[in-house]
Amino acid sequence: MFPSPLLSFVELYKGFFETGILTAALTTSLGRIGLGFALAVIIGSILGIVLATSKLADETLGSLVVALQSVPSIVWLPLALVMFQGGTTAILFVIVLGGTWPMTMNVRMGIKNVQPLLIRAARTMGYKGYELIWKVMIPASIPSALTGIRLSWAFGWRALMAAELLGRGGLGRTLLDARDFFNMELVIAIMIIIAVIGLIVEYCIFNPIERKVLSRWGYAK
């Protein structure tokens, strides 16, 4: 029998305002994704800059990044379990791997696609070496980096839901427990939370930032 939508909303109310189960789970998940997402963006940005500015790194490490990008995050779960014996560290490991590669590739492509005319103009003004990279190429690649940040969040959020099956707490683990106890209304309630969080981040955080960035760079319609 399909779970009742009304009972799912009742479970939402109970989980947040009576038992507190969903409040604790959501708080735990948001803490994990916040740290994992930040690490993925930082590591991915550094790797992207290295690949875009070093031909040797791009021809060697770049191929590995492309290969790893095609590996689903859930595939890393057994390795994380063996390496870190479960727990928060294993979860963060999976989140970081899920979010790093799209960030890396977008930063790489953003820097590589900087208009040659802009680079030539900067060189005539005396910019060269690292100064050219940090003051011209990286700022010009910010629109592409923003796309990488958005994809990094999306992949990291999905990776989190799978990785939380390894540890305790969090929305992913709570969903698994609800399934084990055949509480399908709670399962649907958690799915609603996951979707709503995605919508909130997309429309309340990324969209306003994207509009400002596109307006700043002259791409706004």
Side-chain angles (χ1 to χ4, degrees):
M1 183 177 178
F2 191 80
S4 167
L6 178 59
L7 292 179
S8 295
F9 283 100
V10 170
E11 288 290 342
L12 274 174
Y13 177 84
K14 290 168 59 179
F16 279 113
F17 300 106
E18 292 185 6
T19 64
I21 291 176
L22 294 181
T23 302
L26 179 59
T27 301
T28 300
S29 291
L30 291 179
R32 288 167 174 168
I33 187 61
L35 179 57
F37 172 63
L39 290 173
V41 169
I42 292 170
I43 296 171
S45 298
I46 294 172
L47 281 175
I49 293 169
V50 171
L51 295 182
T53 56
S54 171
K55 184 177 179 181
L56 177 61
D58 195 30
E59 292 177 348
T60 54
L61 185 60
S63 299
L64 177 61
V65 171
V66 172
L68 291 175
Q69 188 180 21
S70 64
V71 178
S73 300
I74 196 171
V75 174
W76 296 104
L77 293 182
L79 180 61
L81 185 59
V82 171
M83 291 175 60
F84 304 105
Q85 303 299 314
T88 300
T89 305
I91 295 172
L92 289 175
F93 175 77
V94 176
I95 296 172
V96 171
L97 286 177
T100 294
W101 313 131
M103 187 67 198
T104 299
M105 297 306 297
N106 276 273
V107 170
R108 171 185 174 275
M109 292 305 301
I111 294 177
K112 281 185 169 292
N113 290 334
V114 174
Q115 296 180 8
L117 180 62
L118 181 62
I119 296 176
R120 287 197 296 269
R123 283 175 174 161
T124 60
M125 296 174 64
Y127 290 98
K128 59 183 179 179
Y130 288 106
E131 191 176 28
L132 178 66
I133 296 171
W134 290 108
K135 294 186 177 181
V136 179
M137 298 175 71
I138 291 178
S141 68
I142 285 180
S144 180
L146 181 59
T147 300
I149 292 174
R150 175 181 267 136
L151 290 174
S152 181
W153 158 264
F155 282 100
W157 184 240
R158 295 172 190 171
L160 170 66
M161 294 301 109
E164 285 186 332
L165 302 179
L166 296 175
R168 297 179 180 179
L171 292 173
R173 186 67 196 188
T174 305
L175 186 146
L176 181 64
D177 292 340
R179 186 210 64 179
D180 291 341
F181 285 101
F182 300 100
N183 189 347
M184 292 299 108
E185 285 76 17
L186 182 56
V187 169
I188 298 299
I190 295 172
M191 292 172 63
I192 292 172
I193 295 172
I194 294 170
V196 169
I197 292 298
L199 289 174
I200 290 173
V201 171
E202 177 66 26
Y203 289 104
C204 296
I205 298 178
F206 287 134
N207 276 5
I209 293 175
E210 182 180 46
R211 285 194 294 268
K212 289 181 180 180
V213 169
L214 293 181
S215 176
R216 171 66 177 80
W217 264 256
Y219 295 129
K221 297 182 180 179

